[in-house]
Amino acid sequence: MYRRDILEAVVLLWAKKHFGNVNWAFQQDFAPAHKARKTQEWCKADFPDMISSAEWPPYSPDSNPMDYSVWSILECRACTKPHKSLNSLNQSIWWEWDRLKVEDLRPIAETFNKSLRCKRRPL
């Protein structure tokens, strides 16, 4: 279902439209559906470049500042009060997203930049 409904129907179509003939690489996180052998095989066959689960950094969330820093800020700010609905939470997250400042993001970018130097993928 993941391959058919998400990778084929959404990701691949979006990427073809977005990237056109430009080469691009695809990487997923450690969700069971992402690291399944058949999913990995499909991605290698259908994406121009696939970073396989064997090549993933040992702490993959470190490779994405959204996963460990920006979401933490948004969660902390958006959840200062309880929400009565998912819509209320969603609005609060978007409100806080719009309020992010350079001062909030600069330390994240600097840390991320340092981690990229340590985790370069060989060409």
Side-chain angles (χ1 to χ4, degrees):
M1 183 188 296
Y2 169 66
R3 288 188 313 272
R4 182 191 68 229
D5 294 347
I6 296 176
L7 294 178
E8 284 183 52
V10 179
V11 176
L12 188 57
L13 294 177
W14 175 87
K16 283 180 179 180
K17 186 176 178 180
H18 182 76
F19 295 114
N21 292 328
V22 175
N23 198 21
W24 55 277
F26 187 72
Q27 178 181 352
Q28 305 176 91
D29 61 18
F30 284 96
H34 300 174
K35 64 182 182 176
R37 182 181 47 79
K38 288 191 177 198
T39 298
Q40 293 285 302
E41 289 170 0
W42 184 92
C43 290
K44 272 191 166 175
D46 290 281
F47 292 140
D49 188 15
M50 171 62 188
I51 301 173
S52 72
S53 61
E55 298 174 284
W56 293 344
Y59 300 103
S60 154
D62 291 344
S63 298
N64 186 345
M66 281 296 294
D67 284 348
Y68 68 93
S69 295
V70 178
W71 276 117
S72 297
I73 293 169
L74 293 175
E75 178 183 17
C76 182
R77 293 178 182 177
C79 296
T80 56
K81 64 177 178 88
H83 296 277
K84 294 183 179 185
S85 69
L86 187 56
N87 187 44
S88 169
L89 175 60
N90 190 24
Q91 287 176 347
S92 183
I93 291 170
W94 278 108
W95 170 259
E96 294 301 338
W97 176 266
D98 289 339
R99 291 184 56 229
L100 285 172
K101 295 181 171 71
V102 171
E103 295 80 26
D104 300 321
L105 302 175
R106 181 170 285 121
I108 296 168
E110 289 170 357
T111 302
F112 183 59
N113 199 14
K114 287 176 193 169
S115 76
L116 285 177
R117 287 189 197 106
C118 298
K119 298 178 183 178
R120 282 192 197 142
R121 182 174 171 223
L123 299 175

